[in-house]
Structures are given as structure tokens and as C-alpha cells.
Amino acid sequence: MDLLLEDFDYDEDIDEERDIRKKKLAFKEEVAKAKNFLEETKSKYYDEIKLRPGVTQEQQKAMDFFNRYNKQQEQAEQQHETFKNNTKKLFSDDFKGFDITVGEKKYKYNIQNKNKVAENQSNITNLVGKFLNENGDVVDHAGYHKAIYAADNVDKIAAHFYEQGKADAIKDVVNKSKNLSDTKARTTQGDVFIGGMKVKAISGADSTKLKIKTRKFN
């Protein structure tokens, strides 16, 4: 089994992204084949038990479990199919975007490729799968919890960055106004030489007075 799994090993730092995708896809296909083989084998086994004239108590328990399992699988498949159909309806041509609440206002956040989003979000494993290893264990805890938190608090996060944007904009205006005031202060006071004459500009209460000193040349 270890030798078989080695065929799907990859190194994200060395292998090309296209090759990694191919190996992941091949691994999923092999898992699906193995699952189908197991299901067929179990079905044949329980069919053989049914044909036997006498069934022991343990065999009957096994058959009851198998029947419940099949029923649960059918219900899960029907529920998933219903979910996919409702997802397609949601992302139809009438879809104008998600409603994002910021304070007392609501905004529309539209998406570019609705069909791709609908397909990707039709299976929850596409969201959490990127944080798991081949055994189903979470290996990227920070990424997993960030994604789950963002999904559960999208309005709160949007409001935070909206308020942060306003604060940054106000800070930028204040800084620019301060720089402009400093520039004006420097240009309205001080000595300036014009055509050999020293002119002193005065602001404030004495701004109506103009002092001119002639620069002497030997």
C-alpha cells in the first residue's frame, strides 16, 4: 500500500503546479475506485447471506446495519443533489451579488465567475480540504480557523475595514493640511531677495507693514 501511495507523492517546492494537480486528481480517482470496489464487495456479501436458508443473529445484525447504511447514503445523495440544484438557482443570471451589512447600510458584493463559484461551493470539502492532509487531519490550523471565522463574521470584517478606511482617509487629509500650513508659514515669513533688495514678509497683526532693506554693493 505504501508503494502505491508513493505514486501520488509531490513536493510543492519542486514540482510544477500542473503536475501537483494531476497527482491530486489521480489520487481522488483511485480513492473513488477503491470505494466503489468496497461497496460492490459488501453488496455481493450481503446478497449471498440473504440467499442462505438460515441466518445467524450476528449475520442479521450485519444485514440490518448494511440496510441502514444504504438508506443513509441514499438520503445523503438526495440531499446533496437538492443542495446543488438550489445552488445553481441562486447563482443564476438574476444573481446580483451578496448583501454585506456595514452599520446601517447594505452593499452588494458581486462575483465575476458565478458558475465556477457555484461548482466550487457545492461541496464543503473544497473549502476545508485545502487545510487537510490525505488522512483528513487539519494541518493548517491558522488558515482553517481564519476561513471559518471569516465565513461566520463577514459583515463584522467588512465593517472593520470600512471604518479603518475612513480613519486612514481622515488621517491623510489632516497630514496634508498640516504640511500645507507649514509650507504657507514658511513662505509668508522670512527674508527674500528681489533685484538686490531684501524684502521681509510679515504675517499676523503686523502683516500690513512691509520692511525693505536695500542691499549695498561696494
Side-chain angles (χ1 to χ4, degrees), residues 80-117:
H80 187 229
E81 191 65 26
T82 300
F83 173 73
K84 290 197 298 182
N85 292 333
N86 290 333
T87 299
K88 290 180 180 179
K89 291 180 181 179
L90 173 65
F91 290 104
S92 64
D93 294 336
D94 296 331
F95 180 75
K96 303 302 180 184
F98 296 109
D99 290 329
I100 305 296
T101 302
V102 179
E104 297 180 355
K105 296 183 179 180
K106 283 189 177 182
Y107 299 90
K108 285 286 186 183
Y109 182 83
N110 206 350
I111 54 179
Q112 298 297 324
N113 194 332
K114 292 183 290 188
N115 292 333
K116 184 177 181 181
V117 172

Side-chain angles (χ1 to χ4, degrees), residues 2 13 15 17 35 52 65 76 93 97 107 120 126 131 139 183-184:
D2 293 336
D13 296 328
D15 296 336
E17 184 178 354
K35 184 178 179 180
R52 293 176 183 176
F65 170 80
D93 294 336
Y107 299 90
N120 185 60
N126 292 331
F131 310 114
V139 291
T183 302
K184 287 183 178 180

Side-chain angles (χ1 to χ4, degrees), residues 68-182:
R68 288 196 304 271
Y69 172 80
N70 281 343
K71 186 175 181 180
Q72 291 173 352
Q73 286 293 100
E74 291 177 1
Q75 291 176 344
E77 291 176 0
Q78 291 176 357
Q79 290 173 344
H80 187 229
E81 191 65 26
T82 300
F83 173 73
K84 290 197 298 182
N85 292 333
N86 290 333
T87 299
K88 290 180 180 179
K89 291 180 181 179
L90 173 65
F91 290 104
S92 64
D93 294 336
D94 296 331
F95 180 75
K96 303 302 180 184
F98 296 109
D99 290 329
I100 305 296
T101 302
V102 179
E104 297 180 355
K105 296 183 179 180
K106 283 189 177 182
Y107 299 90
K108 285 286 186 183
Y109 182 83
N110 206 350
I111 54 179
Q112 298 297 324
N113 194 332
K114 292 183 290 188
N115 292 333
K116 184 177 181 181
V117 172
E119 180 181 356
N120 185 60
Q121 295 186 177
S122 292
N123 193 336
I124 191 64
T125 56
N126 292 331
L127 171 63
V128 300
K130 64 183 71 175
F131 310 114
L132 311 178
N133 60 16
E134 61 274 7
N135 297 322
D137 301 321
V138 177
V139 291
D140 183 3
H141 293 82
Y144 170 83
H145 287 290
K146 182 175 74 172
I148 298 301
Y149 182 85
D152 194 38
N153 297 274
V154 59
D155 292 342
K156 183 184 297 185
I157 294 174
H160 166 76
F161 285 107
Y162 176 77
E163 295 298 330
Q164 184 65 49
K166 288 198 303 183
D168 291 342
I170 294 173
K171 183 178 179 181
D172 185 55
V173 170
V174 171
N175 289 336
K176 288 181 178 179
S177 299
K178 182 179 179 182
N179 293 336
L180 183 59
S181 299
D182 292 342

Side-chain angles (χ1 to χ4, degrees), residues 47-76:
D47 288 341
E48 291 177 0
I49 291 178
K50 291 178 182 179
L51 295 176
R52 293 176 183 176
V55 179
T56 65
Q57 186 176 4
E58 293 299 322
Q59 290 174 338
Q60 184 63 47
K61 289 181 179 179
M63 289 178 58
D64 292 341
F65 170 80
F66 181 70
N67 292 331
R68 288 196 304 271
Y69 172 80
N70 281 343
K71 186 175 181 180
Q72 291 173 352
Q73 286 293 100
E74 291 177 1
Q75 291 176 344

